[in-house]
Every structure is written in structure tokens, then in C-alpha cells.
Amino acid sequence: MSLLVTLIAGAALLVGPATAPLAGASLASPSSAGPSAAGPSAAGPSAAGPSAAGPSAAGPSGDPQKQQAIADWFTHGGDKRLTALQNDFEAIAKAATATDLPAVKAGCSTLKSDVDAAQAYAPLPDAQAQKSWAASLDRYEKAALDCVAGAEKADSGLLLKSNDEMTQGSRELSRATARVQEILR
């Protein structure tokens, strides 16, 4: 069982920092001259994100309005959704490392609630980024449900399935992050 819990912890650590490029991206509005409205900090190089330094920094989309819309999405609540998910993954990893199945279950229950809140929040203002963001939340929701059931029943199959779903969610979140970074360049 400790191997499975360690796998869950590894996935949680993998998934948690994956939110950093989106959450930690410097999201200064294209017209702002002051400090950027940066998201939660994360240790390591994944915290480094793009910045939209000014109107001439329009990315491949060439759309300063889209850059502003993404910055607004982030600063008006997207940052809170990302922070909640990152905190959940850290709590799950800590519980899994301690082989504390009741705490894993609690962490995954909280993850499910936070995924629900993120799904209810406004969509990202870019169709491509939103598609990946929605897919990541879908995978995280499935992971949370399987994790709760797996921890409750000490079911290694469900815990492994949850691990895989967390990893899939992380891949989708990386795609959303890459798209957001592309727009903000």
C-alpha cells in the first residue's frame, strides 16, 4: 500500500507545480506600467512565466484585448482557483507521503470541491486554452473521485487510476499554460 500512496504523492507533486506556469505567470495588463499582478509563487524554475510588458508585447495572437482578458480572468478569480488546486495537491502529497489514507481521502474530497468551483468559474477567454483547462479539470475531478473511493476502501486499483488521471490532468494543464504563455508574449 505504501508504494501506491507514494505514487499518488508523486503525481500530486507533479501536478501541483504544473499549475505554477499559469498561476505564476506575470500577468501585467498590456497597458499597466506598475508591478505585475503575479499569481501564487512556487519554488523552482516553473514559477517563471511570461509577462506582457506593453502594447508592443502582443503575442502571436496580436491581440492586446485577449491579453487583457486573460489577465482579468486571472486577477478576478482564476488565481484563487489555481491556488486552491495547488494547495490541494500539496495536501494530498503530504498525506500520501505520511501514508495517511484518511488525510488522503480528505485532501481528495477538498480537491473535488475546488475542481467544482473552478468548473463553475468563468471560462478562459481563449477557446484553445479553455479546452485544455476544461479537460484538466475533468481529469482532476475523476482523479479526486477515484482517490476518495480508493483511500476509503484502501483499493490499490482505484489509487493507481487516480494517479493516472492526475497525470493526465497535469498534461492538459500544461497545454493550457503553454497557450496562455503564447498569448501573453
Side-chain angles (χ1 to χ4, degrees):
M1 179 55 70
S2 72
L3 174 60
L4 294 174
V5 175
T6 302
L7 288 173
I8 295 292
L13 290 172
L14 171 68
V15 174
T19 62
L22 184 57
S26 176
L27 294 174
S29 69
S31 61
S32 73
S36 67
S41 64
S46 63
S51 67
S56 63
S61 68
D63 187 350
Q65 288 179 330
K66 187 175 275 194
Q67 291 174 337
Q68 182 62 53
I70 287 176
D72 289 346
W73 180 90
F74 181 81
T75 59
H76 294 127
D79 59 337
K80 289 176 181 64
R81 305 307 178 259
L82 288 161
T83 298
L85 295 175
Q86 186 164 347
N87 290 341
D88 295 342
F89 290 122
E90 290 170 3
I92 294 165
K94 181 178 178 183
T97 300
T99 318
D100 183 349
L101 286 178
V104 168
K105 179 183 172 188
C108 290
S109 293
T110 302
L111 174 62
K112 171 65 169 96
S113 296
D114 290 335
V115 166
D116 289 345
Q119 289 172 323
Y121 183 63
L124 271 162
D126 175 77
Q128 184 180 340
Q130 175 57 29
K131 180 179 176 185
S132 295
W133 170 242
S136 72
L137 294 175
D138 179 60
R139 301 305 185 286
Y140 292 151
E141 179 180 38
K142 288 177 173 113
L145 292 170
D146 287 335
C147 178
V148 167
E152 194 170 79
K153 300 173 187 175
D155 183 326
S156 61
L158 283 173
L159 290 171
L160 282 173
K161 184 177 178 189
S162 174
N163 184 62
D164 290 343
E165 292 159 343
M166 285 184 194
T167 301
Q168 292 166 8
S170 180
R171 283 188 206 116
E172 291 295 335
L173 185 58
S174 292
R175 288 183 184 106
T177 300
R179 175 61 182 156
V180 166
Q181 290 174 337
E182 178 183 326
I183 291 166
L184 294 178
R185 278 192 202 119

